[in-house]
Amino acid sequence: MFSRNDFNIWSVLKNCIGKELSKITMPVVFNEPLSFLQRMTEYMEYAKLLRVASEQATPQERLKYVSAFAVSALASNWERLGKPFNPLLGETYELMRPEFRIICEQVSHHPPISAFHADSESFRFHGSIHPKLKFWGKSVEIQPKGIVTVEFPKLNEAYSWSNVNCCVHNVIVGKLWIEQYGVMEVVSHQHGLKATLNFKPSGWNNKDLHRVEGYITDRNKRKTHFLYGKWTEFIKCTDYVSYEEYVKENAHKFKRNADDRSKSPNESPGNTPRKVLSKLNSLKMSSFKSLSIQEPDDPPEPSEGDIPKSDSTYSIDIPNSITLWEAESRPANTAEYYQFTNFAMSLNQLEDHMKQPRALCPTDSRLRPDIRKLEQGDLDGAAAEKTRLEEKQRENRKKSKKGQEELVIFPRWFKQDVNPHTKQDDWIYKGGYWDRDDDNLELDIF
């Protein structure tokens, strides 16, 4: 990846405070060489958890592993500070692995909505994401709007949830770092079960950095199991009685002191003090500096804008626990390659069989020239191609509105419909992608 030290992000973002960033053109140096469709496919890195869930004997056991899968989908976000490329309308991405196959499509441009459908012999996993990004002066908040659903067709069961918010800290000065925060509810629609997972903000002394804690309740709202761990590392589960006994002996690990205030962006992300903004405006930065700009009332940031470290004295290991999920180690050189996991490093690979004529759908993200040029280290070429594609998309939209040109109607593979389990509007896979015939279509979006 390129060094971003010589680029002043403040010059781009200073007029965007409190606004959505989806319509802001960011310099390509702040991108990572993946489309958001590919980034969304990273949900599937630990797809084996869904197979394991489908093999469990009871709904409660299945809910444990579905919940672990929901958490595991966020693990690759840690230290991933590059912005994925915005997909073009009609752009697709496919991936086939032994455990699953998945098709993604950009189904709307304004607002940007990405839909996906994955299936295997034992499960279906589908949903749509409408990411909203807002800049709050010292941080960027990402809200992954949308609901995702897991189905086990042979069991006639479905589970659904929404992902929690993500915040990138120290956007202007200091070292960037990420935290996930908020409450995730994984609902079992057929059995009245629910897993409520609290992704904790790091807190004043970083005691809760990365921590996830929650519980499973039955249809009578009785707590039956306790789930805990770190969204970056692992999730464990124990019965609720063992948890209560552990808390009696280790209450200090679960309760906060009165002065241990959260510095979660959830509290007031938009209230960046005017003094801070005036200081930022007065900075003549040609690069990111390790400065710490604080108001007296602000909770202290890590010194010199460092990335906070987890306080190991607050580790939790409850008796009678089982480990549901553990994150795979990243490659040793991950810092040189956008902090990608091994799974992410494989997503833009053009495999030999894909190079055959019409083997790959012409709208597939792997064929995007701007992403490919950034991957190859051609920053100027990537920027030029990104601009060209954006202009081409605008021209196609104008021609379509004027009826000057017969264009392929997008989306091709998904339709707006009601999700039968959540009863909410959703984008549902129409089928047919894997048996498609592109020979008679002009699918020229790149």
Side-chain angles (χ1 to χ4, degrees):
M1 61 180 281
F2 290 92
S3 168
R4 296 174 178 135
N5 290 339
D6 295 330
F7 295 87
N8 183 359
I9 195 171
W10 179 242
S11 65
V12 179
L13 293 180
K14 64 182 178 182
N15 297 319
C16 305
I17 294 176
K19 299 178 182 177
E20 270 197 69
L21 298 184
S22 60
K23 297 181 181 179
I24 305 300
T25 300
M26 296 288 288
V28 75
V29 71
F30 296 113
N31 284 91
E32 62 178 21
L34 289 177
S35 166
F36 181 73
L37 298 182
Q38 293 166 301
R39 185 74 180 259
M40 193 166 61
T41 302
E42 292 184 58
Y43 273 136
M44 304 304 295
E45 180 167 2
Y46 299 99
K48 64 182 179 183
L49 291 172
L50 295 182
R51 175 182 53 77
V52 173
S54 73
E55 295 167 351
Q56 301 305 303
T58 67
Q60 283 189 334
E61 291 298 312
R62 292 193 284 275
L63 180 56
K64 290 180 188 178
Y65 284 95
V66 172
S67 301
F69 172 78
V71 176
S72 76
L74 306 178
S76 66
N77 288 343
W78 176 236
E79 297 187 316
R80 288 282 290 283
L81 302 169
K83 178 182 178 295
F85 283 74
N86 293 332
L88 304 171
L89 181 63
E91 184 176 332
T92 59
Y93 182 72
E94 68 173 67
L95 188 67
M96 296 185 70
R97 292 289 169 86
E99 288 276 3
F100 66 89
R101 64 182 184 179
I102 184 171
I103 168 62
C104 310
E105 183 177 17
Q106 189 70 4
V107 295
S108 173
H109 185 61
H110 292 303
I113 302 175
S114 307
F116 68 91
H117 181 94
D119 57 37
S120 76
E121 291 184 2
S122 55
F123 67 83
R124 288 196 294 260
F125 177 48
H126 56 88
S128 56
I129 306 294
H130 172 195
K132 288 193 172 184
L133 284 72
K134 286 192 174 180
F135 174 52
W136 294 118
K138 293 189 288 185
S139 62
V140 169
E141 184 180 39
I142 300 105
Q143 302 171 345
K145 303 287 186 180
I147 293 177
V148 297
T149 303
V150 166
E151 298 177 5
F152 298 127
K154 294 177 183 177
L155 300 169
N156 195 30
E157 284 183 359
Y159 302 76
S160 63
W161 66 92
S162 294
N163 284 313
V164 295
N165 290 350
C166 176
C167 186
V168 182
H169 293 278
N170 298 339
V171 170
I172 306 304
V173 288
K175 294 179 181 178
L176 296 170
W177 64 280
I178 286 176
E179 68 176 335
Q180 311 267 176
Y181 61 91
V183 176
M184 174 189 287
E185 292 185 341
V186 184
V187 177
S188 167
H189 293 281
Q190 281 68 37
H191 303 286
L193 306 175
K194 181 190 292 185
T196 303
L197 298 165
N198 181 16
F199 288 69
K200 296 191 171 190
S202 61
W204 181 76
N205 60 1
N206 303 324
K207 147 182 153 179
D208 288 331
L209 184 65
H210 306 154
R211 272 175 66 172
V212 181
E213 292 176 8
Y215 44 84
I216 290 175
T217 52
D218 61 20
R219 63 172 63 253
N220 299 315
K221 299 185 178 179
R222 183 177 65 91
K223 296 175 181 176
T224 60
H225 293 83
F226 182 71
L227 298 161
Y228 65 100
K230 296 184 177 184
W231 60 266
T232 52
E233 297 179 33
F234 67 92
I235 288 293
K236 294 184 178 183
C237 182
T238 188
D239 63 275
Y240 207 75
V241 172
S242 295
Y243 160 70
E244 289 182 311
E245 291 176 354
Y246 183 83
V247 170
K248 289 177 186 177
E249 302 293 327
N250 300 274
H252 65 286
K253 295 186 179 184
F254 295 89
K255 294 180 180 178
R256 295 187 174 201
N257 298 324
D259 61 347
D260 187 9
R261 296 178 300 159
S262 161
K263 61 172 184 290
S264 164
N266 216 10
E267 292 191 354
S268 56
N271 294 336
T272 304
R274 289 184 180 179
K275 289 181 181 178
V276 173
L277 298 181
S278 63
K279 284 182 183 180
L280 289 171
N281 272 318
S282 67
L283 290 174
K284 295 180 179 179
M285 298 185 296
S286 61
S287 61
F288 295 104
K289 305 295 183 184
S290 291
L291 302 175
S292 185
I293 301 173
Q294 295 170 9
E295 289 298 287
D297 295 333
D298 286 351
E301 297 285 342
S303 62
E304 294 301 315
D306 283 343
I307 298 173
K309 298 289 191 292
S310 180
D311 189 337
S312 60
T313 61
Y314 289 95
S315 62
I316 299 171
D317 192 9
I318 304 174
N320 303 316
S321 294
I322 62 166
T323 299
L324 300 172
W325 162 74
E326 283 186 292
E328 298 283 344
S329 298
R330 297 193 185 186
N333 58 352
T334 183
E336 300 170 36
Y337 293 94
Y338 300 88
Q339 301 290 352
F340 281 3
T341 62
N342 279 311
F343 185 85
M345 285 184 174
S346 71
L347 294 179
N348 211 41
Q349 180 72 18
L350 266 174
E351 298 171 26
D352 288 341
H353 70 89
M354 297 176 182
K355 297 175 184 177
Q356 303 300 318
R358 294 296 186 182
L360 196 62
C361 189
T363 52
D364 195 274
S365 301
R366 296 175 183 84
L367 304 176
R368 275 187 66 158
D370 51 353
I371 294 178
R372 189 63 64 185
K373 284 185 179 294
L374 180 62
E375 182 181 78
Q376 293 167 348
D378 182 358
L379 191 62
D380 292 338
E385 286 291 349
K386 181 169 177 278
T387 300
R388 182 185 67 79
L389 290 176
E390 289 167 352
E391 290 175 352
K392 180 173 183 176
Q393 184 166 237
R394 281 191 287 270
E395 283 300 312
N396 285 345
R397 197 157 54 245
K398 287 178 185 176
K399 290 179 182 178
S400 179
K401 286 180 180 179
K402 293 178 180 179
Q404 293 177 347
E405 191 172 310
E406 286 292 328
L407 297 175
V408 177
I409 301 300
F410 295 118
R412 291 178 70 199
W413 308 112
F414 291 82
K415 63 179 179 180
Q416 272 191 295
D417 207 341
V418 174
N419 184 312
H421 308 290
T422 65
K423 310 303 181 187
Q424 298 184 28
D425 287 340
D426 204 347
W427 285 89
I428 306 298
Y429 178 54
K430 294 190 292 189
Y433 176 83
W434 303 102
D435 303 315
R436 70 189 183 280
D437 179 5
D438 299 322
D439 289 342
N440 299 318
L441 290 176
E442 289 297 324
L443 299 172
D444 182 23
I445 64 171
F446 301 144

